[in-house]
Amino acid sequence: MLTETHVPVMSAADIVTARQKGRVMALEMGFDGADPTLIAAAISEVSRNIVEYAKRGEVILQPRRNGTRSGLCVVARDQGPGIPDLARALQYGYSTRKGLGVGLPGAKMLMDEFEIASKIGEGTTITMIKWLR
């Protein structure tokens, strides 16, 4: 039985750890083909944002069931500055730090479900789910 896993995220090394743990959990749950890599990439994107903007946070990996479906839920949360313009932050190509602007929109495209909640001065929580096919 797989259990919820919490990964503290404060550095580039933690991004790698979160990514690896997500990939391993995905494989243990039966994901195959490109799916474990897509999940790991989405975890990388949201973890990188934690390190870059909030400095510290966590990634929580949770096995999920919805009726007959099984999936992997990834929650990335921080108590950082928050995102002032969520709609803009989710636009492909928009970046506040001279990046490519594919982080949040990229993570959203890689997963089946994607929700983001952010409050200025309180932080951001991203919840993503990939369902087994």
Side-chain angles (χ1 to χ4, degrees):
M1 174 82 185
L2 292 171
T3 59
E4 183 172 286
T5 301
H6 290 249
V7 183
V9 176
M10 293 169 268
S11 68
D14 297 331
I15 295 169
V16 173
T17 300
R19 179 186 170 93
Q20 287 171 335
K21 288 187 181 215
R23 185 176 172 72
V24 167
M25 186 177 280
L27 289 167
E28 288 174 352
M29 291 179 67
F31 284 96
D32 58 11
D35 283 344
T37 301
L38 299 178
I39 291 165
I43 291 169
S44 281
E45 294 298 345
V46 296
S47 299
R48 189 173 295 113
N49 280 355
I50 290 172
V51 171
E52 198 167 312
Y53 297 102
K55 307 302 178 222
R56 67 181 328 119
E58 71 175 335
V59 168
I60 304 159
L61 306 167
Q62 306 166 316
R64 265 293 157 87
R65 288 204 68 80
N66 184 351
T68 58
R69 290 198 309 175
S70 293
L72 177 56
C73 178
V74 177
V75 178
R77 66 179 174 205
D78 64 62
Q79 284 79 50
I83 301 170
D85 188 344
L86 275 179
R88 199 159 177 206
L90 288 167
Q91 286 178 349
Y92 195 83
Y94 174 74
S95 175
T96 57
R97 299 261 175 119
K98 297 185 175 68
L100 297 175
V102 297
L104 290 178
K108 185 176 182 178
M109 287 188 318
L110 294 170
M111 301 294 276
D112 297 323
E113 295 183 23
F114 183 95
E115 285 178 29
I116 184 167
S118 189
K119 285 198 171 112
I120 300 304
E122 292 183 28
T124 301
T125 300
I126 296 168
T127 305
M128 311 181 290
I129 301 174
K130 187 70 149 178
W131 296 106
L132 270 165
R133 294 183 210 307

